[in-house]
Amino acid sequence: MTSVNAPRAIVIVGGGLMGSGIAQVFAAAGHDVTVVEPTATVRDTIRPRIAADLRLFGRDEALADAVTITDDLASAVTGADYVTEAAPEKLELKRAIFAELVRHAPHAAILASNTSVIPIHTIAAGLPTAERIVGTHWWNPAGLIPLVEVVQSTRTSPATIATTMQLLASIGKAPAHVTKDLPGFVANRLQHALWREAIAMVAEGICDAATLDACVKNSFGLRLAVLGPLENADLVGLDLTLDIHKTIIPELDRLDRPNPYLEAQVAAGRLGFKSGEGFRRWTPEEMTAVRERLASHLLAAQRPCSKP
Ligand SMILES: NC(=O)c1ccc[n+]([C@@H]2O[C@H](COP(=O)([O-])OP(=O)(O)OC[C@H]3O[C@@H](n4cnc5c(N)ncnc54)[C@H](O)[C@@H]3O)[C@@H](O)[C@H]2O)c1
């Protein structure tokens, strides 16, 4: 396979939350963008959602009109240089989509998955031309979070990685090359290690959910955007870090499955914003306020991407 060095024609498979966000970023950077979405009601919302994002980011919302929307995957990918799959997080569905992509996309096209946690080699298993299959894990909201993890399976070629890193950097993202194809890659492993301990502490009654969130937001949460955890360990000293670990590591949660407290919440229908109650009860006004607070914080935090 010879990959396209500077992909122009971008196809996004799945026009939900992430697909439309990723489409917006590529469209804003001047690429030809097509979104493939099987559900008619969702298709009708894609351009308005892209336009709303462009407006929020101070870009020309007319760029949304240039995005092609279709339900025909085979035709859409015929002229694709770079395809990003953003369909639901179900392995068999993603495998079926990639089989179609391999069949219909040009041999030079790169095929990327936006899976949150599924190893790329399991999506590519049994498929020919797996050297062009790569993970590109974007974060929500795609227009505001710089990181895209670029996940290399044992079969992904260096050329695919190089083109992907260049493409993402050229549209203003901060791509990070992840060389081991493990569930959750890097950032979700870290995020969910924190969530595991947070849920265990609430389940143990050490504090309530609001107190726990306040502890994070008013302490190391403030530092994290400018000081990575290992930079921080160097800053305070590894000798101090070791002394702290001698006491705390044996105490941390080590369940090797989801916490039964979380399972009970889900079984009781307490799903969070979706049902109005999760770890806490939420009024519609409170939910809107949380979303607005997050968007305005991320907008204010926009800055040139940090180098790794
Ligand atoms: N939501 C997040 O915060 C987030 C962040 C990073 C990565 N992801 C990952 O991105 C992917 C998409 O997540 P989302 O939150 O956008 O989900 P979503 O449910 O909002 O969107 C998925 C879309 O894919 C469509 N779809 C279903 N079957 C399809 C098919 N065969 N071909 C094409 N499209 C199809 C659905 O109709 C839906 O519109 C998942 O793998 C998810 O794990 C999500």
Side-chain angles (χ1 to χ4, degrees):
M1 181 201 73
T2 45
S3 72
V4 181
N5 283 328
R8 291 274 335 137
I10 308 294
V11 175
I12 315 290
V13 180
L17 178 72
M18 293 307 294
S20 67
I22 295 166
Q24 176 266 312
V25 175
F26 277 113
H31 286 272
D32 300 330
V33 179
T34 300
V35 180
V36 181
E37 168 58 53
T39 306
T41 48
V42 177
R43 279 199 301 280
D44 293 342
T45 67
I46 293 173
R47 278 202 201 98
R49 283 185 287 129
I50 293 175
D53 278 353
L54 288 164
R55 205 164 42 242
L56 181 68
F57 307 148
R59 304 298 305 267
D60 179 7
E61 61 187 278
L63 287 168
D65 298 334
V67 175
T68 303
I69 316 284
T70 178
D71 64 348
D72 184 349
L73 181 138
S75 305
V77 300
T78 311
D81 295 328
Y82 201 100
V83 182
T84 300
E85 168 274 317
E89 186 78 348
K90 298 191 186 317
L91 175 59
E92 287 315 313
L93 174 66
K94 289 189 188 291
R95 285 176 50 75
I97 290 171
F98 272 80
E100 288 295 293
L101 295 178
V102 165
R103 191 167 308 131
H104 297 290
H107 267 203
I110 289 176
L111 312 175
S113 175
N114 185 47
T115 174
S116 297
V117 292
I118 301 172
I120 302 307
H121 69 270
T122 63
I123 295 173
L127 290 178
T129 67
E131 66 276 7
R132 60 174 168 154
I133 298 179
V134 62
T136 53
H137 179 223
W138 295 62
W139 287 68
N140 179 46
L144 288 174
I145 304 273
L147 177 68
V148 181
E149 289 163 285
V150 176
V151 184
Q152 181 166 19
S153 85
T154 49
R155 293 167 71 198
T156 312
S157 71
T160 296
I161 295 295
T163 303
T164 299
M165 297 289 288
Q166 280 160 19
L167 174 68
L168 291 167
S170 75
I171 59 171
K173 291 287 133 188
H177 182 188
V178 180
T179 51
K180 275 227 159 112
D181 186 20
L182 297 173
F185 318 126
V186 173
N188 258 333
R189 289 174 80 91
L190 291 168
Q191 180 172 231
H192 287 275
L194 176 64
W195 290 18
R196 176 175 65 179
E197 189 60 32
I199 293 167
M201 283 201 282
V202 170
E204 289 294 318
I206 293 169
C207 63
D208 63 21
T211 304
L212 187 137
D213 284 343
C215 285
V216 174
K217 289 188 283 186
N218 291 321
S219 66
F220 66 86
L222 285 172
R223 289 195 302 243
L224 275 175
V226 291
L227 188 71
L230 300 183
E231 283 175 328
N232 196 12
D234 277 348
L235 187 149
V236 299
L238 298 194
D239 47 348
L240 172 61
T241 303
L242 178 59
D243 285 341
I244 290 171
H245 278 200
K246 283 176 187 163
T247 302
I248 202 168
I249 294 287
E251 298 297 319
L252 294 178
D253 185 63
R254 57 193 62 231
L255 262 188
D256 64 357
R257 63 187 186 86
N259 196 298
Y261 183 89
L262 178 62
E263 290 173 335
Q265 296 280 86
V266 173
R270 288 190 289 272
L271 305 181
F273 281 17
K274 281 182 204 165
S275 64
E277 185 178 0
F279 287 107
R280 296 187 238 172
R281 283 213 179 87
W282 298 95
T283 65
E285 295 74 28
E286 286 170 335
M287 291 188 248
T288 303
V290 167
R291 291 197 170 100
E292 287 176 358
R293 188 175 76 212
L294 175 64
S296 69
H297 169 75
L298 292 175
L299 268 174
Q302 289 305 290
R303 59 192 159 87
C305 297
S306 309
K307 295 276 176 252

